[in-house]
Amino acid sequence: DGGITQSPKYLFRKEGQNVTLSCEQNLNHDAMYWYRQDPGQGLRLIYYSQIVNDFQKGDIAEGYSVSREKKESFPLTVTSAQKNPTAFYLCASSIDYVKEQFFGPGTRLTVL
Amino acid sequence: SQQGEEDPQALSIQEGENATMNCSYKTSINNLQWYRQNSGRGLVHLILIRSNEREKHSGRLRVTLDTSKKSSSLLITASRAADTASYFCAKSGANNLFFGTGTRLTVIP
């Protein structure tokens, strides 16, 4: 089956710890994205990558880091520098930036 | 901000009625897309309308685009309880999509 997967579904982290969220796609898409969604809010772009080994900051990149070493993988690290990391994180991919985006099921991160 | 606004923020209708959601934006676009999100899930793409198109249909969905007013609307006809979800418009920018804050639709059986 073609699609985009995220793991884990739920993640708990203690304050001061870094944590990495996984995002994998087998759609052969060049572009991948990370969004953050807070309760009752829209999506805010954290980072995006339009090609392997290249990525750009989105609107709220502070406290986050990414890598794009493989076309199918775009992991997001939430660092201890992120002041309010509790949120729902969504990964997406697309053929290019103007086409439809395909979303993963999301990871809900809670900082204890 | 390029995100614009959607209205209403929330909409509650009876099953069988039509639901209309609106989206406005501030800068020029290549296309405008509508997505659906069920609670706690990822978004699902519904329809894409290009800047040179005025209307597009997909099943019970009808999307219009008025570039002179920088606005779009999504109409869901003959709504069903299963249509209950949040609906987002997304405007294509220079290198990304910009999502609005969404309309929360509740369809009452």
Side-chain angles (χ1 to χ4, degrees), chain B residues 42-61:
Chain B
L43 277 70
V44 174
H45 182 264
L46 296 175
I47 200 163
L48 181 154
I49 186 164
R50 293 182 177 81
S51 60
N52 61 353
E53 297 176 311
R54 292 297 168 258
E55 188 171 310
K56 208 160 183 182
H57 296 255
S58 177
R60 293 184 296 112
L61 305 180

Side-chain angles (χ1 to χ4, degrees), chain A residues 33 35 42-46 48 50 57-60 97-99 101 103, chain B residues 1-6 23-35 43 88-102:
Chain A
Y33 313 83
Y35 296 94
L43 276 64
R44 292 186 289 169
L45 182 65
I46 304 172
Y48 64 97
Q50 295 187 350
K57 292 182 179 180
D59 299 323
I60 55 166
Y97 70 91
V98 294
K99 299 294 195 297
Q101 293 187 7
F103 282 80
Chain B
S1 165
Q2 299 186 48
Q3 291 189 346
E5 297 292 331
E6 283 142 309
C23 169
S24 63
Y25 56 95
K26 299 177 181 178
T27 60
S28 61
I29 59 171
N30 181 288
N31 65 59
L32 188 140
Q33 304 178 30
W34 286 90
Y35 289 79
L43 277 70
F88 295 89
C89 70
K91 286 76 71 175
S92 65
N95 49 21
N96 270 308
L97 291 183
F98 294 91
F99 286 84
T101 54

Side-chain angles (χ1 to χ4, degrees), chain A residues 14-85:
Chain A
K14 292 182 180 179
E15 278 193 33
Q17 289 182 337
N18 293 353
V19 64
T20 297
L21 282 58
S22 169
C23 178
E24 303 277 332
Q25 54 99 0
N26 61 4
L27 300 167
N28 200 34
H29 286 167
D30 283 316
M32 295 187 76
Y33 313 83
W34 274 105
Y35 296 94
R36 171 184 171 134
Q37 187 177 33
D38 293 285
Q41 300 296 312
L43 276 64
R44 292 186 289 169
L45 182 65
I46 304 172
Y47 268 97
Y48 64 97
S49 168
Q50 295 187 350
I51 199 166
V52 175
N53 292 322
D54 184 61
F55 50 83
Q56 305 296 327
K57 292 182 179 180
D59 299 323
I60 55 166
E62 186 175 351
Y64 300 97
S65 66
V66 294
S67 63
R68 188 83 187 278
E69 297 176 1
K70 298 187 295 183
K71 187 175 187 177
E72 58 270 22
S73 179
F74 191 40
L76 173 74
T77 296
V78 184
T79 75
S80 57
Q82 169 50 236
K83 298 305 178 189
N84 185 22

